[in-house]
Amino acid sequence: MRGAVQGVGFRPFVYRLAAELRLSGWVSNTSEGVFIEAEGPRAGLEQFALRLRTDKPPRSFIQSLESWWLDAAGYAGFEIRPGESGGGKTAIIMPDIATCPDCLAEIFDPRNRRHLYPFTNCTNCGPRFSIVESLPYERANTSMKQFAMCPECEQEYREPANRRFHAQPNACPKCGPHLESWDAAGTILATHHAALLQAAQIIRDGKILAIKGMGGFQLMVDARNDDAVRRLRERKRREEKPFAVMYPSLEAVGADCRVLDMEARLLASPESPIVLLQRLGVRSSPVAPGNPNLGVMLPYSPLHHLLMSELKFPVVATSGNLSDEPICIDEREALQRLGNFADVFLVHNRPIVRHVDDSVARVLLGREQVLRRARGYAPLPVRLTDGKPATAFAAATPILAVGGHLKNTVALAIGPQVFLSQHIGDLETVQSYEAFLGVINDFERLYEAEPGWIASDSHPDYLSTQFAKALVERKPSLRGVSVQHHVAHVLACAAENDLAPPLLGVSWDGTGHGLDGTVWGGEFFLVTEKACERVAHLRQFRLPGGDKAVQEPRRAMLGILYEVFGESALAGRDTPPLQSFAATELPALAGMLRTGVNSPLTSSAGRLFDAVAAFLGIRQIARFEGQAAMELEFIIDATRTDGTYSFELERQEKTGGGSILAVDWRPMVKDILADVKRHLAVGLISAKFHNTLVEVIVSVARRVGQPRVALSGGCFQNRYLTERAAARLEAEGFRPYWHQHIPPNDGGIALGQIVATLMGVG
Ligand code: ZN
Ligand code: ZN
Ligand code: FE
């Protein structure tokens, strides 16, 4: 944990708490904060994690707390270890921190000079990463430099005993930034608190508000107003992807969603991410159509607190951008980019130095899992410690990893620290590519690092790969490393779980460039000290139309049917996917399948999910990445079964020697057809399909014989798949590992690329 946790009796407190809960392990001060390793029964550890926050010493404050679950080390007792002495430490830039209780009390206290002031902060809270221009972290190096402190603020800033001693963004109504509300032409409508009141009224009236938040613009509408939500969808061109909702309070969340203790802690944490919760009621609302979950967050800045206390009802709070573009950070730019879809802009004059989206997290298998790492987390480093695969190769020169294509993030390794960038997004538009270049430039400048290595995906067409390639051509001293996509997934998972080789890595996602020129996505790797050997994969099939099949699950189904039945699959039109094609489309697709032209072979697990969703008539055309697979997961909900379908493991000779296992899913497809024919409920078919994939993992694990199995890749965002795989692996005597603070999706690729470079397996 980082924050005001040293010199305030924190270590003795941790020691007493551990003793009371009968936990073993140790606590130590480090250059960054306090590090704790605690060991004991699960219930005790969960208590420990909650009470660290609730029972902490009065003068302490936790600005950031990240916990990982690791294998037990077998400590005899609990001890306070001597602190780590600095030496060559790299400056840590703190993420933006949610408003602390003291500041919150002040803005709602009519006698306080910061009453209703939306830019209130102190050393314990407020913006950091989104305002820092360069290091060291001093006011002159932040976007607060243009505001000269008034004598009262100056006094607070200079007084060591004050909560605002050296609080760089310190400000008050007299000397700090202020609010304005603008119309879409940029005309000022109101200023200061009147602007906030007007913005609240806009939302009440069912209109769309663009609000300049902590790390960028958000778009807000009344979440209870279906028409307003629909209008936002139309204007944002976001047809069906779920929106996140900001609630006025934890109690209000409880009225709509189930909130477990760990979820409540996460919602109110200094990181304050969007937390995916299980909805209690109807799913018909256009906020998250057909989705049993809802992404929920609480106010995390004084501006949000003030607005939500005015409104007292939930609002949709989605990033201020057109789909696929990076979030907007500048008010002039916002008028241009958001002018067509926001009715009023609530802006201020504190510049946002870099975009930082809201993070997304959830509780999975009793642990936190971050799905999008940005505000509250970025740019905190992951430390590659003893036991992690890379230890032996501690980098002499910094390594830059440029990530993948979708959900891009980048990483910079300096010594054992790996600094992970905030979520950048899909590199599909000019704006996102510019944001990508900006983040790389930003990281190298902030950390004054000149990378000696640059790692990128093995896909030759990714913009990130091309960027790396061009850079290596320009700079002869820079060494390029190409890392296979699914290897990167597995190594990211191994690294964050502190796993040293050997282990089995299961890497399942939608699409990645395979080393044999086909499209991979259902891969198994044996990770050893020196290599990541692909030991098994799902049977391949053709995807008619290539990338087009990502948007059209029915194309994947056509490929699957062709693989199982050959020509006869193309004859009739007796299944939903075939019926959904226009009669004129089919001959062209059949031609692709026969000749292989524009019809790449793939072993993708994600496409297999798509195909089954299409076959069950759930979805033929997807509106966003992964939608069909999500819907296939969600229909399991009410129906539980342990039933499975059959499949076979086939040993195949590899060209160039050795052999590899191929998972033949054709028997499963025939079984599914039979179940459809006898009108088995689609929820049950979906459950049996998921269960079968879990058994595939278990049987490959048995064949490979490694006790430890790491699950990574976008498919493991699927809660049912991950929970069942973990349970079944454990029941069969394996140890499953999954992602905790690094996303299982492509947001984790950059970390994996760093680890691959360090291990020399790129
Ligand atoms: Zn504060
Ligand atoms: Zn002031
Ligand atoms: Fe991936």
Side-chain angles (χ1 to χ4, degrees), residues 113-114 117 139 148-154 156 170-176:
R113 69 191 192 93
R114 288 189 174 83
Y117 184 57
R139 192 171 178 104
M149 276 185 275
C150 70
E152 280 165 292
C153 286
E154 185 79 37
E156 294 167 335
N170 189 26
C172 77
K174 246 190 262 172
C175 66

Side-chain angles (χ1 to χ4, degrees), residues 433-683:
Y433 185 64
E434 277 167 5
F436 163 82
L437 298 178
V439 170
I440 291 173
N441 183 25
D442 198 30
F443 261 46
E444 293 184 358
R445 203 176 43 81
L446 277 175
Y447 297 107
E448 291 173 12
E450 173 137 10
W453 298 79
I454 184 163
S456 58
D457 198 279
S458 59
H459 199 306
D461 299 338
Y462 284 0
L463 287 181
S464 56
T465 309
Q466 289 174 358
F467 164 82
K469 202 171 148 239
L471 208 62
V472 170
E473 275 166 18
R474 276 212 311 277
K475 279 194 192 170
S477 62
L478 190 63
R479 297 175 66 177
V481 182
S482 172
V483 182
Q484 201 279 324
H485 187 88
H486 303 97
V487 167
H489 272 309
V490 164
L491 293 180
C493 187
E496 78 152 307
N497 281 291
D498 247 346
L499 299 180
L503 59 101
L504 172 66
V506 183
S507 198
W508 285 8
D509 65 4
T511 311
H513 177 259
L515 296 179
D516 57 2
T518 65
V519 178
W520 290 7
E523 318 306 313
F524 298 83
F525 296 91
L526 176 62
V527 183
T528 57
E529 293 287 344
K530 296 235 156 55
C532 276
E533 188 199 348
R534 185 178 181 231
V535 290
H537 61 82
L538 300 183
R539 183 191 177 90
Q540 296 188 312
F541 60 99
R542 288 201 182 276
L543 276 177
D547 283 347
K548 198 110 208 261
V550 177
Q551 286 125 44
E552 296 190 16
R554 60 187 183 173
R555 288 179 184 242
M557 189 66 220
L558 199 61
I560 293 271
L561 288 174
Y562 189 74
E563 186 65 22
V564 179
F565 300 107
E567 278 301 313
S568 62
L570 305 169
R573 294 187 68 195
D574 51 351
T575 63
L578 285 170
Q579 285 153 9
S580 82
F581 286 111
T584 48
E585 281 177 289
L586 280 172
L589 293 167
M592 289 181 196
L593 287 168
R594 281 185 204 115
T595 59
V597 173
N598 192 18
S599 206
L601 280 172
T602 186
S603 49
S604 164
R607 296 292 87 82
L608 201 54
F609 274 90
D610 280 359
V612 174
F615 200 81
L616 297 184
I618 294 167
R619 180 158 295 277
Q620 308 304 337
I621 294 176
R623 307 277 172 215
F624 59 90
E625 192 213 355
Q627 185 184 22
M630 268 173 63
E631 289 171 342
L632 189 61
E633 178 193 356
F634 295 155
I635 55 162
I636 300 174
D637 204 29
T639 46
R640 294 273 156 165
T641 173
D642 286 325
T644 58
Y645 295 120
S646 34
F647 62 90
E648 270 154 38
L649 294 187
E650 218 175 78
R651 191 160 282 287
Q652 295 178 342
E653 298 308 310
K654 276 202 280 194
T655 41
S659 67
I660 191 165
L661 286 172
V663 180
D664 188 352
W665 36 257
R666 286 176 303 176
M668 172 184 78
V669 172
K670 289 180 180 162
D671 285 357
I672 292 178
L673 286 172
D675 268 355
V676 170
K677 211 163 247 168
R678 63 185 187 97
H679 301 292
L680 193 69
V682 285

Side-chain angles (χ1 to χ4, degrees), residues 61 78 83 85 133 153 186 195 209 284 293 321 324 337 349 382 413 427 474 477 503 521 523 539 558 639 716 741:
F61 189 86
F78 201 92
S85 55
E133 289 166 346
C153 286
L209 177 73
S284 60
N293 304 316
N321 57 6
D324 297 335
R337 284 177 55 195
N349 55 340
V382 168
L427 302 184
R474 276 212 311 277
S477 62
L503 59 101
E523 318 306 313
R539 183 191 177 90
L558 199 61
T639 46
F716 292 100
H741 284 269

Side-chain angles (χ1 to χ4, degrees), residues 262-300:
M262 285 184 68
E263 291 164 339
R265 190 207 77 76
L266 200 50
L267 280 168
S269 67
E271 293 84 7
S272 284
I274 295 167
V275 183
L276 298 184
L277 300 175
Q278 193 184 313
R279 283 161 112 172
L280 296 174
V282 286
R283 299 177 189 178
S284 60
S285 145
V287 169
N291 199 317
N293 304 316
L294 189 63
V296 168
M297 66 183 136
L298 291 177
Y300 53 80

